[in-house]
Amino acid sequence: MKRGIYLVGNLRSQEMCQNLIYSIRESGCQLPIRLIHFGGTEINSAYILNQVELLRYEDFPADAKQLIANLRTVLTDCPMGYLYRYLAWFSDWDEFIYSDNDIVALCNWEKLFEYLSDNDLVHADEEYTTEGKYNYNKPELVKSIFGSSALETAITAGHIVVKKNSRMVEDINNAVNWFKENPHIPKKHDQSLMHIASLLGNWKMINLCRTHGWLSSWAGDYKNALEIIHKIQNKDTRISHIHYSGGSPRGDFAIQELLFSNKTDKERLKKLFFIGTGSLSGFYQIKKQYVRVKNFAKRNLMKK
């Protein structure tokens, strides 16, 4: 059984990617890692390049490129690099983990494959509690089409464990067709399409948070790392990873301390100094408002 981990990244995500790989290795996981170039400037970290096999879009076969092109016809709300996670289905590995860069491994991910014996996909998140608001413009219609429990099988596509088979690629292409037939229902993002593919193909999936009592993997559910430790002790349960989704984590919140796990004490203090200066001075807030105004203006210009 061939297994491994797929990541997608570039120079912009390099710091988080390096910390992710560090956390994977420190957990005891020795699975091979392949890093697909996201686009833009390539990663140049010696540590990362020593740990991964670097791949590019051009390295994949024609049918993989065809899938990405097909996905792009409907997934217009996210950068092209986000779609490259789907290239993992065209690897020579029988089973794989895909992980976003804004994640920290909190256990040995090799153990996650044990749950694949009777399943196509394993994940550990609480996306099922969101009622589809992050994936769909009209989540109620998803329930009317696929059944009242359809939204309870939602996936956080940033961390998945997959048993690869050709049928799943067919289901993904069918999901593209579904998006074209129902453009008003889903948000045009890769995560919503993966969920539709799972519904169309009736994938066998297990959510470790929902069925096995694993702790939430979303960083927003915790105040700090101490709370995670307390919850693990009190519940006698497990946690796979922490996912800093919902924005670009800088490290200015207590729970984001885990993003500095791979740094020396001096490197961490330097990082915190610059982050603290930017946060306390109001620079980050001004920058956020500037980006909002810029994007608003860009959208309006495109409509004219």
Side-chain angles (χ1 to χ4, degrees):
M1 183 71 70
K2 294 182 179 179
R3 294 170 171 165
I5 298 171
Y6 268 99
L7 312 176
V8 177
N10 61 9
L11 188 64
R12 186 174 180 180
S13 64
Q14 178 165 283
E15 275 200 73
M16 286 190 295
C17 183
Q18 186 163 302
N19 187 68
L20 166 61
I21 294 172
Y22 174 84
S23 69
I24 291 171
R25 294 305 187 218
E26 285 296 299
S27 76
C29 178
Q30 295 302 315
L31 289 171
I33 300 174
R34 289 173 176 168
L35 173 66
I36 303 171
H37 176 50
F38 179 92
T41 306
E42 284 192 3
I43 278 175
N44 57 23
S45 162
Y47 173 81
I48 294 176
L49 296 175
N50 186 54
Q51 290 287 332
V52 309
E53 176 187 357
L54 181 63
L55 299 174
R56 299 168 184 84
Y57 168 79
E58 293 76 19
D59 296 324
F60 288 85
D63 50 349
K65 296 174 183 175
Q66 184 178 357
L67 174 65
I68 300 302
N70 196 26
L71 288 168
R72 196 55 174 172
T73 62
V74 294
L75 301 183
T76 56
D77 287 353
C78 58
M80 188 70 162
Y82 280 35
L83 308 186
Y84 290 168
R85 73 189 69 203
Y86 286 95
L87 293 172
W89 267 275
F90 296 87
S91 73
D92 57 337
W93 292 339
D94 304 294
E95 299 173 350
F96 67 86
I97 291 173
Y98 168 79
S99 177
D100 283 350
N101 287 269
D102 57 347
I103 280 177
V104 179
L106 298 184
C107 77
N108 186 336
W109 287 354
E110 293 181 51
K111 297 182 182 299
L112 298 176
F113 290 96
E114 297 173 6
Y115 297 93
L116 270 182
S117 57
D118 298 318
N119 294 286
D120 299 309
L121 187 148
V122 173
H123 59 121
D125 56 67
E126 294 189 350
E127 191 69 33
Y128 68 94
T129 66
T130 64
E131 293 294 323
K133 65 181 179 181
Y134 299 116
N135 290 336
Y136 303 102
N137 298 314
K138 296 183 180 295
E140 69 280 359
L141 293 183
V142 176
K143 291 197 289 185
S144 68
I145 295 170
F146 294 103
S148 59
S149 62
L151 297 177
E152 296 174 11
T153 61
I155 310 163
T156 296
H159 190 276
I160 52 175
V161 190
V162 176
K163 183 190 297 180
K164 186 169 66 71
N165 65 69
S166 58
R167 175 179 55 80
M168 297 176 85
V169 173
E170 182 180 349
D171 294 335
I172 294 168
N173 278 314
N174 288 338
V176 172
N177 295 331
W178 188 93
F179 265 55
K180 291 177 180 178
E181 294 166 1
N182 303 277
H184 58 297
I185 298 178
K187 296 184 185 296
K188 297 176 177 62
H189 205 279
D190 57 303
Q191 179 166 290
S192 53
L193 189 135
M194 189 177 295
H195 182 224
I196 292 298
S198 73
L199 292 170
L200 291 172
N202 194 28
W203 294 1
K204 294 181 179 179
M205 301 191 298
I206 183 171
N207 184 340
L208 297 176
C209 292
R210 188 179 181 203
T211 61
H212 284 60
W214 285 40
L215 292 178
S216 170
S217 55
W218 185 47
D221 285 332
Y222 306 97
K223 292 180 292 186
N224 48 46
L226 181 63
E227 184 179 4
I228 296 175
I229 295 171
H230 284 166
K231 286 192 174 184
I232 293 174
Q233 298 296 326
N234 293 337
K235 296 188 69 174
D236 190 27
T237 187
R238 304 192 66 177
I239 182 169
S240 168
H241 61 281
I242 282 290
H243 192 180
Y244 293 94
S245 60
S248 298
R250 293 183 295 265
D252 47 348
F253 294 105
I255 187 60
Q256 295 173 356
E257 174 71 21
L258 294 171
L259 290 170
F260 307 135
S261 300
N262 68 315
K263 297 189 179 301
T264 65
D265 291 341
K266 188 174 183 179
E267 288 171 339
R268 173 181 165 276
L269 287 174
K270 283 184 178 179
K271 187 74 175 176
L272 288 173
F273 172 77
F274 287 109
I275 292 168
T277 301
S279 182
L280 295 173
S281 67
F283 171 77
Y284 291 139
Q285 188 63 29
I286 295 171
K287 183 179 179 181
K288 184 177 181 180
Q289 293 300 325
Y290 169 76
V291 172
R292 282 182 176 176
V293 172
K294 183 180 178 181
N295 290 338
F296 177 78
K298 185 178 180 181
R299 287 194 299 269
N300 284 322
L301 285 173
M302 291 175 67
K303 291 179 181 178
K304 294 180 180 180

